[in-house]
Amino acid sequence: MKAVFGAFKPTWAAKAIASISLIIAILTFYEACQQACKTLNRLRETIFEA
């Protein structure tokens, strides 16, 4: 954060921004995993011939 925004005087602000970014990243990863599982399940259920 320091490299992007410079020095923060209240350290809690930098920690809050970092925490929010981490939470967003975790939620995005979780949603991507859910979508991948749904897609794989649909592919397994479909019977097709080559």
Side-chain angles (χ1 to χ4, degrees), residues 16-28:
I17 292 170
S19 297
I20 291 170
S21 298
L22 183 62
I23 290 170
I24 291 171
I26 290 170
L27 291 175
T28 302

Side-chain angles (χ1 to χ4, degrees), residues 32-48:
C33 286
Q34 294 297 319
Q35 290 297 327
C37 288
K38 287 180 186 178
T39 301
L40 287 174
N41 286 335
R42 280 190 310 224
L43 288 172
R44 286 187 190 123
E45 292 172 359
T46 304
I47 298 173
F48 58 90

